[in-house]
Amino acid sequence: MLEPFGDLAIPFTGLPFRAGLAIWLARTGQGVLAVVAQFFYVGAQVGIWSFLIRYVQATQPGTSQKPAANFLTASLVAFMVGRFTGTALMRRFSPTRLLAWFAGINVALCAAAVANVAHVGTYMLVASSFFMSIMFPTIFALGVDGLGDSERKLGSALIVMSIIGGAVLTAVMGALSDVRGIQLAMSVPLLCFAVVLIFARRSRQETRVPVSIGGASQH
């Protein structure tokens, strides 16, 4: 039989799960912020990719689904290129600094998508995938930075669980799109990237040991 979840103990406290979790949350402010940042990052990524085709068709009337899907393919390519580029850049810049830059750029790109001046919004959303590329592993690494072994295990689990943001925030985008239109719905990932930016700026003050991401190690 499976042991009830509430009776599980957290190794580094020896306490039942709920009490041990409360202590972990109190001890690891950086870890808590990483869980929040990852929740919003995944929500932004899944939301943009899920609604990109709808955005293209809404802002470029007459575009059928197949040509619109080409922009999603381009986004995936941009994401892959961004991952390699971001890893290379981390050999010269700290992960926290690069994360802040990329998050700030994506705030601006999403703002451009909301405004869609001169019909450039689609291209801004495609470009945002390039700058998303380093966010998940960087947030994860910063969230467990400096933690003990048991704390790191719990922190890792919670950060991975925060991917539920992809379901929650995509639903929010869908509801907003139905009521106010897809352009305004892109304000949701804009706010999500703003949260990542706040996390990155705070992490620059909190990082205690070198953080290794994609083979690059920086302070």
Side-chain angles (χ1 to χ4, degrees):
M1 295 180 63
L2 295 176
E3 186 176 7
F5 187 71
D7 295 336
L8 293 176
I10 294 180
F12 69 88
T13 64
L15 297 173
F17 182 86
R18 292 185 180 90
L21 177 60
I23 291 176
W24 182 87
L25 293 174
R27 283 184 183 180
T28 58
Q30 178 74 359
V32 175
L33 290 176
V35 172
V36 173
Q38 202 73 288
F39 176 92
F40 282 98
Y41 160 66
V42 175
Q45 182 200 66
V46 175
I48 289 175
W49 288 357
S50 296
F51 289 103
L52 183 58
I53 293 176
R54 181 188 293 190
Y55 182 93
V56 173
Q57 291 181 306
T59 58
Q60 301 180 26
T63 304
S64 63
Q65 186 169 0
K66 186 173 181 179
N70 290 335
F71 288 101
L72 181 57
T73 301
S75 295
L76 299 178
V77 173
F79 186 88
M80 179 185 68
V81 173
R83 178 61 64 85
F84 287 109
T85 304
T87 299
L89 288 173
M90 283 184 190
R91 301 184 185 279
R92 298 191 58 186
F93 305 101
S94 69
T96 52
R97 185 184 299 273
L98 203 61
L99 180 63
W101 289 346
F102 279 22
I105 290 170
N106 269 2
V107 168
L109 292 175
C110 288
V114 172
N116 194 35
V117 177
H119 303 288
V120 299
T122 298
Y123 302 98
M124 299 299 100
L125 292 177
V126 171
S128 73
S129 292
F130 178 94
F131 298 101
M132 290 183 206
S133 58
I134 66 163
M135 291 186 183
F136 188 98
T138 306
I139 293 170
F140 186 95
L142 292 172
V144 299
D145 173 37
L147 300 182
D149 184 61
S150 295
E151 292 171 316
R152 185 180 296 109
K153 289 177 181 177
L154 177 59
S156 299
L158 291 175
I159 294 172
V160 170
M161 289 168 61
S162 68
I163 64 174
I164 194 174
V168 174
L169 296 174
T170 301
V172 172
M173 287 184 68
L176 186 56
S177 174
D178 291 340
V179 174
R180 299 296 300 274
I182 188 61
Q183 283 182 228
L184 187 60
M186 289 301 165
S187 62
V188 175
L190 185 159
L191 295 174
C192 291
F193 289 124
V195 172
V196 176
L197 175 59
I198 293 170
F199 169 76
R201 290 177 64 86
R202 181 183 175 91
S203 295
R204 292 186 62 183
Q205 303 170 354
E206 297 284 342
T207 304
R208 295 173 291 277
V209 297
V211 178
S212 180
I213 302 168
S217 179
Q218 297 284 345
H219 285 282

